[in-house]
Amino acid sequence: MSGNLILPARVTPLSSAMVVEVFSSIQGEGLHLGRRQIFIRLADCNLSCAYCDTEFFRASLFPSEIRPGCGFSTDRENPVPVYEIAELVAGWNRDLPGAHHSISITGGEPLCQADALAVWLPELRKILPIHLETNGTLPEDLVPLLGEIDFISMDFKLASVTGVPTPWEEHKRFLALAAQSPCQVKLVVGPQTSFDELLAAVRFIHEIAPDVPMILQPQTIERRVSLAAHQLLEMQALAAAIHHDIRVIPQVHHFLNAP
Ligand code: SF4
């Protein structure tokens, strides 16, 4: 045999990711509230927040909706190669043309699997825009992906709700990068959050990214908003004296009984 033999692209473990679930639902947080998205929840997280109610552990099988939004799932095998996730998402997009606004890559912390995302995102982005939901602590992993992400939702972790110290330095480097793309910063606030803590965070964010929308998201406890309206309005007024774009938005998917 002679000449240049063209071999099919080799599927390496780096192009596969460990997935926790795939489903179609309504975005229940932040600026894109109400938009329908295809959610791909990836395994692993580098933090351990006290309020975390998200499943992010690796398993050999994961649930994937049988039809987008039907609420019934079938098991698929992990890890998931890029061609399989792209085929699944493209099929859902074909079945419901125009229904989905974008793909939400969420977790866990999706940047824990940045190697796989470097392969996944260019393929998925051919189908729908890519939104990344992240805890904002892995700036080095974000760098190579920036060109393939259309919107970044970055959490800013307040110690009063996470139970662990705020990762100021990581947040600083992450936000400086994320602010180069369309993005929002989301601060989950709870009954333990003091005005001093909130304002320190707002000043910090404002210095790095003066134009980025900031979302004050009251913590949801047992499916209820944990702060009274007057407390949220007081927080909003104090924060808005520093930063011009402060919005108060609770998680709304709970009201829809949506995932
Ligand atoms: S960063 Fe998100 S997924 Fe990770 S522990 Fe905190 S709340 Fe849970």
Side-chain angles (χ1 to χ4, degrees):
M1 202 155 38
S2 64
N4 293 329
L5 181 65
I6 299 173
L7 295 170
R10 194 162 66 100
V11 177
T12 69
L14 288 182
S15 68
S16 298
M18 297 296 288
V19 175
V20 170
E21 57 180 339
V22 182
F23 58 97
S24 161
S25 190
I26 301 299
Q27 174 57 251
E29 301 179 355
L31 293 183
H32 290 282
L33 189 75
R35 292 200 193 276
R36 187 164 178 181
Q37 295 183 309
I38 295 172
F39 290 82
I40 302 175
R41 187 181 306 288
L42 296 183
D44 302 343
C45 187
N46 60 325
L47 297 184
S48 180
C49 305
Y51 67 85
C52 184
D53 59 357
T54 310
E55 199 59 63
F56 57 77
F57 296 108
R58 291 180 172 221
S60 54
L61 298 174
F62 70 91
S64 168
E65 274 185 318
I66 297 167
R67 291 189 313 281
C70 74
F72 296 99
S73 299
T74 185
D75 282 342
R76 287 175 177 263
E77 279 186 24
N78 268 318
V80 183
V82 61
Y83 65 83
E84 188 177 320
I85 196 72
E87 199 176 276
L88 175 66
V89 170
W92 284 10
N93 198 40
R94 261 197 318 272
D95 291 348
L96 295 178
H100 293 104
H101 171 264
S102 44
I103 300 165
S104 174
I105 306 290
T106 186
E109 173 45 54
L111 293 178
C112 288
Q113 300 195 66
D115 286 342
L117 289 180
V119 182
W120 277 31
L121 296 190
E123 293 305 314
L124 292 175
R125 200 166 178 236
K126 291 174 189 165
I127 307 165
L128 286 168
I130 302 291
H131 289 206
L132 176 74
E133 298 192 12
T134 170
N135 64 28
T137 59
L138 297 173
E140 286 76 19
D141 293 303
L142 175 66
V143 173
L145 305 178
L146 269 175
E148 300 293 344
I149 299 171
D150 298 284
F151 182 77
I152 298 173
S153 177
M154 171 192 166
D155 283 357
F156 196 96
K157 298 293 187 184
L158 298 178
S160 59
V161 284
T162 62
V164 294
T166 295
W168 297 97
E169 185 51 38
E170 290 84 351
H171 278 340
K172 181 181 183 180
R173 286 187 284 126
F174 194 97
L175 181 55
L177 293 164
Q180 298 168 20
S181 305
C183 77
Q184 67 184 13
V185 177
K186 204 174 64 192
L187 298 108
V188 176
V189 291
Q192 315 301 329
T193 306
S194 69
F195 292 156
D196 283 349
E197 182 189 24
L198 176 66
L199 293 183
V202 171
R203 278 192 204 97
F204 186 85
I205 296 164
H206 181 76
E207 269 190 27
I208 303 163
D211 296 321
V212 73
M214 250 188 261
I215 315 297
L216 304 186
Q217 180 176 294
Q219 194 179 354
T220 306
I221 299 176
E222 292 174 358
R223 300 178 84 84
R224 297 175 71 98
V225 173
S226 64
L227 289 165
H230 73 86
Q231 292 172 299
L232 288 165
L233 291 175
E234 206 167 345
M235 286 181 170
Q236 187 274 344
L238 290 168
I242 298 167
H243 190 80
H244 71 98
D245 195 348
I246 301 284
R247 318 204 190 174
V248 179
I249 307 177
Q251 291 180 303
V252 303
H253 48 289
H254 296 304
F255 302 115
L256 297 171
N257 288 322

